Structures are given as structure tokens and as C-alpha cells.
Amino acid sequence: MALELYLDLISPPCRAVYIFAKKNNICFEFKPVELFKDSILGRKIVAASLMEQAILGQQHTEEFAKVNILKKVPVLKDGVFTLAESTAILLYLSRKYNTPDHWYSSDLQKRARVDEYLSWHHNSFRRIAPKTLWIKVLIPLFTGQAAPPEKLQEVIDELAASLVQFEEKFLQDKPFIMGSEISLADLMAVVELMQPVGVGCHIFADRPKLAAWRSRVEEAVGKELFQEAHEQILNIKELSSIEVEPKLKELLAPTLMKMLK
């Protein structure tokens, strides 16, 4: 049976898995799971499903629950074997397909450095960066009100502190986190940082070291593949013109407004 990957490229972890598989010529069947599709009404929407407390989207259907009871993407299916969580999927693919060593080194200490970054990532970039999308796009769309500027500034300030840590601890003066070649750590970092870029937060401006690193990551992945994977997020602001039904606003607004408290 063909390898299957259940993905929505609006999600940074899904983009990481997609880019890694494509870059390493791993054959797979793309199984789209639209996080922004109302599974009841069958309409394209921008739902709160990027949030931990998401309530809409194809990942919440009974059909998808049979694939992943956690109702999250990405998911890998390899025959009867099913695997969730982006880091676990990337490590599985790197081992099964014996991808080039620079992605996840066979050297114990180099591998530990990648693990160190991936552990840090989930409590920093992964936790902070997506909030820019909620504040700049989702809250205005579903509540009809712009989020207070100070809320966005709080997120930007928190992200800026993490970017300083990233540069000083992980990147330092190296081309990539692990040295001269790209690794899984770089891939996971860059896809997450593209989320605020997609909603107009210029986090790479005035950070020449970080901007140069991003350019090197794009080159290492391949600019065409990088742009393909990020097409949806880079056009996300177009969604602000969508007309949302009053009942849907009434359903989602309270959940989104909790983010402002």
C-alpha cells in the first residue's frame, strides 16, 4: 500500500512534513484534510480549528477520527501503521527512507542538538507564532471587531524574545542550526515563522542574521517547493473579505474572544 500523508498546508507542521517528503523524493498519496471546512455545512470557512479548542473542520468528522482519534494533522499511514505528530512523522520518514544524514545526523551528539531544538520549539515558536493569525485574521473575521493593537504587540514582543534566543542559542554564527547544512530543526523553525509573515508581520526585517538564514533554508529546500508549500499562508489575508453567516459568528466569537482576556 502507498504511503499516505493527511495534511493541510495552512498548518506549519503539515508544511514541514510535506516539504521533507517532497525534497527527499518520498512517494506518498496526499490526503487533504481541510481545517477550514465546515464538516456539517460543507462550506469553505476560516474556522477556529487552528486553535487547541477547535470545533469545526474536517479533522473533526467521524471519518477522520478513524484515522487519528486525536483529530489532528499531520497523520501518516504506512499500510496498517498510523502515526501522528509532526516530529514523530519526520523522524520515521528519515529513518525508513534513509534520507541524507544532514537532516537527522547519525552522530549521537549532533542528533541530540536537533532533539534539543525540537524540544524548545514547541514551547516557543510553535506556541507563539500562530497567535498572529488568530489576532490579525480570525478574531476580526468572526467577531467583526479588530483585536486591540496591544494584544498583537504582546504577541510580537513575546515572539521577538524567542527570536533573540533562537539566534543566540541555536543559530549563533552558523549558516544553519547544525552548521553548514540544513536539518529537521531548520525546517520546523522556518515553517512556523512563515505564519506571522503570511499575515503581514515583518519579523525578518531588521534581523539580517535571521533573514539570511531564512534565505539559505529556502535555497536548501528549493525556492519553488518552498513557495508551493507556503502558497496558502502567504495569501491568507484574502480571507478577511469572506462573508461569515451570523450563526457561525455567534458560535465562534466567544471562543476567539477568550484569547483577548
Side-chain angles (χ1 to χ4, degrees):
M1 297 177 65
L3 180 73
E4 298 176 353
L5 294 176
Y6 292 76
L7 309 168
D8 187 335
L9 298 185
I10 203 68
S11 156
C14 288
R15 293 198 296 270
V17 170
Y18 180 83
I19 290 171
F20 184 77
K22 284 276 194 175
K23 177 63 179 176
N24 288 285
N25 299 312
I26 298 171
C27 294
F28 66 92
E29 183 178 352
F30 189 113
K31 295 284 191 176
V33 180
E34 296 187 70
L35 300 179
F36 299 158
K37 189 167 186 178
D38 185 334
S39 58
I40 298 174
L41 302 178
R43 299 189 259 81
K44 266 281 194 179
I45 63 168
V46 183
S49 50
L50 283 183
M51 302 172 62
E52 292 293 331
Q53 321 240 318
I55 54 176
L56 293 175
Q58 290 183 339
Q59 76 276 29
H60 292 282
T61 62
E62 291 184 11
E63 182 181 0
F64 185 71
K66 295 175 184 177
V67 177
N68 182 14
I69 196 171
L70 300 176
K71 299 180 180 181
K72 294 169 62 179
V73 289
V75 179
L76 171 150
K77 281 194 71 178
D78 192 1
V80 297
F81 178 72
T82 302
L83 186 65
E85 301 299 333
S86 56
T87 299
I89 292 170
L90 289 168
L91 297 182
Y92 178 83
L93 293 175
S94 70
R95 291 161 177 157
K96 173 168 182 175
Y97 294 97
N98 195 28
T99 56
D101 197 63
H102 62 82
W103 287 109
Y104 193 58
S105 179
S106 56
D107 179 274
L108 178 63
Q109 292 187 355
K110 290 181 179 179
R111 180 172 289 189
R113 287 298 184 198
V114 174
D115 293 340
E116 179 184 39
Y117 172 78
L118 294 176
S119 297
W120 178 85
H121 174 86
H122 285 281
N123 283 319
S124 53
F125 292 164
R126 180 74 191 125
R127 179 179 61 83
I128 305 165
K131 292 180 182 179
T132 56
L133 176 61
W134 307 338
I135 291 173
K136 292 200 71 174
V137 177
L138 298 182
I139 289 175
L141 183 64
F142 284 97
T143 67
Q145 303 175 41
E150 60 268 22
K151 291 298 180 182
L152 178 61
Q153 192 59 51
E154 286 176 11
V155 172
I156 294 298
D157 290 345
E158 189 178 9
L159 182 55
S162 286
L163 290 172
V164 170
Q165 291 180 338
F166 177 75
E167 289 192 60
E168 293 181 351
K169 163 64 178 174
F170 296 103
L171 192 55
Q172 300 175 9
D173 293 319
K174 306 185 298 289
F176 299 97
I177 294 173
M178 292 306 301
S180 61
E181 294 184 283
I182 191 173
S183 70
L184 292 180
D186 298 283
L187 183 57
M188 287 291 282
V190 79
V191 294
E192 206 68 62
L193 294 179
M194 291 302 293
Q195 213 76 351
V197 170
V199 295
C201 297
H202 304 295
I203 62 170
F204 292 98
D206 302 320
R207 292 188 175 94
K209 181 189 292 187
L210 195 69
W213 163 80
R214 170 189 163 181
S215 294
R216 286 190 292 269
V217 172
E218 288 189 38
E219 289 284 353
V221 165
K223 288 194 172 183
E224 185 175 344
L225 174 57
F226 191 86
Q227 290 299 314
E228 174 192 336
H230 288 89
E231 182 178 1
Q232 289 185 61
I233 189 61
L234 292 176
N235 291 312
I236 198 74
K237 291 175 72 175
E238 295 178 4
L239 296 172
S240 60
S241 62
I242 288 178
E243 292 186 10
V244 181
E245 289 187 1
K247 287 185 179 180
L248 193 56
K249 285 187 178 182
E250 183 180 351
L251 177 66
L252 295 177
T255 303
L256 288 166
M257 290 303 290
K258 287 180 182 179
M259 295 185 59
L260 301 182
K261 296 180 179 180

